[in-house]
């Protein structure tokens, strides 16, 4: 379900915005209007929907219109044209009182630098949004405590802001927004002022929180890595307009414009791409019931020195190694039962590839990708290393697929590379 819908939003600063808007509608090019009229075209014809429970990231360079756009959603800025819908309600037609109500109950905002009251405790700062709503004192304290716990600040309730680090202050800001219990969070560069380590901690924490709370979040950032890490979907903004909306993977694999392609050049792909996106069809496997002789045949045909052993529906049982299979045949054994190694390291399809290297280093087999017990794919180490180094542009996005040839084969020189 759509929680937020933006329909053809414009925000124009300067003299006579309506007139400027009409000129744009009549087809005047953006740049000409900018030059001739000196108008600031901050947001131009932006439409998108944010689904319930989604983290929707708007990203773009400084001045591209991100803050203006997000402020148009709760009408901190009055859009020059267009419609904003939240929960099917037309926000653009609300009167002042209704708007205040909306901001107090439904839509909270977290800024890059927001003011904490210096003489109030962390708990009081956190409960501030509820105080404005004139909630009962006991309710405020309870909800503020819960919110502080969610952001990992339990035990800090009675401190004052100057006793906190920058990261902790930012957490109080987040807790304040969470305490109000509104289901929409608008976060404008909320983590941008933090140093990199704390920033990635906060990003991880937001993802954890989101798993529990299922808010609908519009997150503004100019950092593509942050956008890719957090965003269920990402909108890329340029000069007031949106160039592309898509998942991180859509954008990495199929950048819609040269601008987007240039943008993604130096993204940290390892945090974005998942095991599922680079896995290949497994071929070096054998059904457990087939036995040792069939295993030798399969290894010879595929020129590999180990196989995955699977059951019905390709359920992953384990692996079988060449020398042990040969011994089993010599002993006249009819099953693989005695030689299967059951403790195979595997990964899930949605594991980011940054987390695959460690698991992959543990084994000389391609990394098995397992979903509900079934072997759904394998990632040969070369494939993983290539993916970590991949840098596509608009024209060669598909070309790196050609590197994927020996699907699923097991490294022949097992044991020699360390
Ligand atoms: N209140 C205002 N009055 C006039 N111009 C404004 C106002 N607010 C923003 N602008 C202009 O609108 C354009 C978009 O600004 P905005 O702050 O939305 O960009 P941004 O993408 O958030 O940038 P940053 O990454 O630096 O925060 C800029 O040219 C800015 O100067
Ligand atoms: Mg901004």
């Amino acid at each position: 379900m759509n929680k937020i819908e933006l329909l053809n939003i414009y925000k124009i600063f300067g003299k006579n915005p309506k007139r400027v808007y009409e000129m744009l509608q009549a087809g005047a090019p953006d740049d000409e209007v900018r030059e001739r009229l000196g108008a600031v075209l901050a947001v131009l014809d932006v439409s998108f929907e944010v689904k319930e429970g989604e983290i929707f990231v708007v990203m773009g360079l400084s001045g591209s219109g991100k803050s203006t756009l997000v402020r148009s959603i709760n009408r901190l800025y009055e859009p020059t044209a267009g419609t904003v819908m939240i929960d099917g309600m037309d926000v653009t037609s609300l009167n002042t009182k209704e708007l205040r109500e909306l901001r107090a109950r439904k839509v909270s905002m977290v800024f890059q630098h927001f003011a904490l009251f210096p003489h109030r405790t962390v708990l009081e700062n956190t409960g501030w949004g509820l105080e404005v709503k004139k909630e009962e004192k006991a309710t405020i304290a309870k909800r503020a405590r819960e919110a502080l716990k969610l952001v990992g600040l339990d035990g800090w309730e009675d401190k004052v802001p100057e006793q906190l680090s920058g990261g902790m202050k930012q957490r109080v800001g987040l807790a304040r927004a969470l305490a109000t219990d509104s289901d929409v969070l608008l976060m404008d560069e909320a983590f941008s002022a933090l140093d990199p380590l704390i920033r990635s901690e906060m990003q991880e924490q937001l993802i954890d929180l989101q798993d529990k709370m299922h808010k609908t979040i519009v997150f503004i950032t100019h950092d593509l890595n942050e956008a890719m890490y957090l965003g269920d979907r990402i909108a890329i903004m340029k000069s007031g307009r949106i160039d592309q909306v898509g998942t991180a993977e859509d954008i990495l694999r199929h950048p819609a414009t040269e601008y987007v392609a240039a943008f993604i050049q130096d993204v940290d792909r390892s945090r974005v791409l998942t095991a599922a996106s680079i896995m290949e069809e497994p071929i070096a496997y054998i059904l457990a019931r087939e036995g040792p002789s069939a295993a030798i045949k399969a290894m010879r045909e595929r020129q590999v020195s180990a196989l995955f052993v699977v059951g019905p529906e390709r359920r992953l049982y384990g692996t079988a190694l060449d020398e042990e299979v040969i011994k089993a045949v010599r002993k006249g054994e009819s099953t693989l039962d005695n030689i299967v190694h059951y403790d195979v390291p595997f990964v899930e399809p949605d594991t980011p590839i940054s987390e695959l290297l460690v698991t992959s280093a543990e084994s000389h087999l391609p990394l098995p990708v397992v979903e509900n017990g079934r072997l759904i794919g394998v990632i040969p180490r070369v494939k993983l290393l290539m993916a970590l180094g991949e840098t596509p542009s608009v024209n060669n996005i598909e070309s790196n697929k050609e590197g994927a040839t020996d699907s699923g084969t097991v490294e022949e020189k097992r044991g020699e590379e360390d």
Side-chain angles (χ1 to χ4, degrees), residues 58-219:
V58 179
M59 95 135 264
L61 295 177
S62 183
S64 56
K66 308 180 296 294
S67 294
T68 308
L69 177 63
V70 78
R71 281 159 200 226
S72 303
I73 296 178
N74 64 353
R75 282 176 57 197
L76 284 178
Y77 284 161
E78 206 59 68
T80 308
T83 310
V84 177
M85 308 284 286
I86 296 182
D87 283 334
M89 177 178 66
D90 183 352
V91 173
T92 24
S93 71
L94 299 183
N95 65 31
T96 318
K97 184 162 166 280
E98 293 164 333
L99 195 55
R100 202 180 305 131
E101 193 67 3
L102 178 91
R103 291 184 195 146
R105 310 214 169 257
K106 212 183 261 281
V107 183
S108 292
M109 216 163 169
V110 188
F111 298 97
Q112 178 172 358
H113 302 283
F114 53 88
L116 293 180
F117 302 107
H119 302 298
R120 288 175 156 219
T121 64
V122 166
L123 191 73
E124 288 162 349
N125 266 293
T126 306
W128 180 75
L130 297 167
E131 231 177 282
V132 174
K133 281 160 77 173
K134 306 220 172 7
E135 302 272 355
E136 301 250 334
K137 267 214 158 67
T139 316
I140 298 175
K142 181 168 168 280
R143 296 256 294 278
R145 268 176 212 288
E146 285 166 1
L148 285 168
K149 195 156 185 221
L150 280 172
V151 302
L153 280 180
D154 34 344
W156 292 81
E157 292 84 354
D158 300 326
K159 304 275 192 272
V160 290
E162 69 171 8
Q163 293 172 290
L164 306 184
S165 70
M168 288 168 142
K169 285 183 202 160
Q170 206 63 17
R171 276 167 215 242
V172 177
L174 183 55
R176 182 189 280 175
L178 296 177
T180 61
D181 215 23
S182 39
D183 23 291
V184 175
L185 292 184
L186 306 177
M187 303 180 71
D188 190 355
E189 306 269 7
F191 303 155
S192 300
L194 305 174
D195 63 55
L197 255 176
I198 297 173
R199 185 170 182 170
S200 29
E201 254 175 51
M202 290 293 287
Q203 292 166 356
E204 283 164 27
Q205 196 167 30
L206 186 68
I207 298 277
D208 285 350
L209 283 173
Q210 180 64 353
D211 282 346
K212 290 179 212 142
M213 302 184 315
H214 312 291
K215 303 270 183 193
T216 303
I217 301 175
V218 179
F219 192 100

Side-chain angles (χ1 to χ4, degrees), residues 107-363:
V107 183
S108 292
M109 216 163 169
V110 188
F111 298 97
Q112 178 172 358
H113 302 283
F114 53 88
L116 293 180
F117 302 107
H119 302 298
R120 288 175 156 219
T121 64
V122 166
L123 191 73
E124 288 162 349
N125 266 293
T126 306
W128 180 75
L130 297 167
E131 231 177 282
V132 174
K133 281 160 77 173
K134 306 220 172 7
E135 302 272 355
E136 301 250 334
K137 267 214 158 67
T139 316
I140 298 175
K142 181 168 168 280
R143 296 256 294 278
R145 268 176 212 288
E146 285 166 1
L148 285 168
K149 195 156 185 221
L150 280 172
V151 302
L153 280 180
D154 34 344
W156 292 81
E157 292 84 354
D158 300 326
K159 304 275 192 272
V160 290
E162 69 171 8
Q163 293 172 290
L164 306 184
S165 70
M168 288 168 142
K169 285 183 202 160
Q170 206 63 17
R171 276 167 215 242
V172 177
L174 183 55
R176 182 189 280 175
L178 296 177
T180 61
D181 215 23
S182 39
D183 23 291
V184 175
L185 292 184
L186 306 177
M187 303 180 71
D188 190 355
E189 306 269 7
F191 303 155
S192 300
L194 305 174
D195 63 55
L197 255 176
I198 297 173
R199 185 170 182 170
S200 29
E201 254 175 51
M202 290 293 287
Q203 292 166 356
E204 283 164 27
Q205 196 167 30
L206 186 68
I207 298 277
D208 285 350
L209 283 173
Q210 180 64 353
D211 282 346
K212 290 179 212 142
M213 302 184 315
H214 312 291
K215 303 270 183 193
T216 303
I217 301 175
V218 179
F219 192 100
I220 306 293
T221 181
H222 60 258
D223 181 302
L224 187 58
N225 286 319
E226 183 166 77
M228 297 261 164
Y229 182 66
L230 292 177
D232 293 312
R233 286 184 308 141
I234 299 160
I236 304 213
M237 249 187 129
K238 181 196 174 200
S239 311
R241 294 189 187 268
I242 286 187
D243 262 29
Q244 185 169 10
V245 178
T247 63
E249 232 167 284
D250 289 341
I251 289 172
L252 276 183
R253 304 215 143 210
H254 311 285
T257 63
E258 286 295 339
Y259 178 76
V260 176
F263 229 112
I264 61 175
Q265 284 298 327
D266 44 41
V267 69
D268 179 1
R269 318 175 69 78
S270 70
R271 284 179 88 190
V272 175
L273 294 179
T274 58
S277 72
I278 61 165
M279 72 186 181
E280 298 172 359
E281 191 58 30
I283 55 170
Y285 67 89
I286 184 171
L287 289 168
R289 62 174 158 74
E290 287 184 85
S293 303
I296 289 180
K297 184 162 173 283
M299 280 192 260
R300 283 230 315 266
E301 278 171 11
R302 312 219 195 293
Q303 302 190 337
V304 293
S305 47
L307 293 172
F308 291 112
V309 180
V310 301
E313 298 184 303
R314 225 199 265 161
R315 291 199 168 274
L316 181 61
Y317 289 170
T319 55
L321 308 179
D322 52 3
E323 65 264 43
E324 291 168 353
V325 174
I326 289 167
K327 273 186 206 151
V329 171
R330 288 200 179 126
K331 281 195 214 156
E333 285 177 16
S334 60
T335 70
L336 293 165
D337 294 353
N338 291 329
I339 58 159
V340 174
H341 295 262
Y342 289 100
D343 51 347
V344 201
F346 66 88
V347 295
E348 316 239 343
D350 60 358
T351 312
I353 64 174
S354 61
E355 290 166 30
L356 301 183
L357 257 183
V358 179
T359 322
S360 148
E362 286 169 20
S363 160

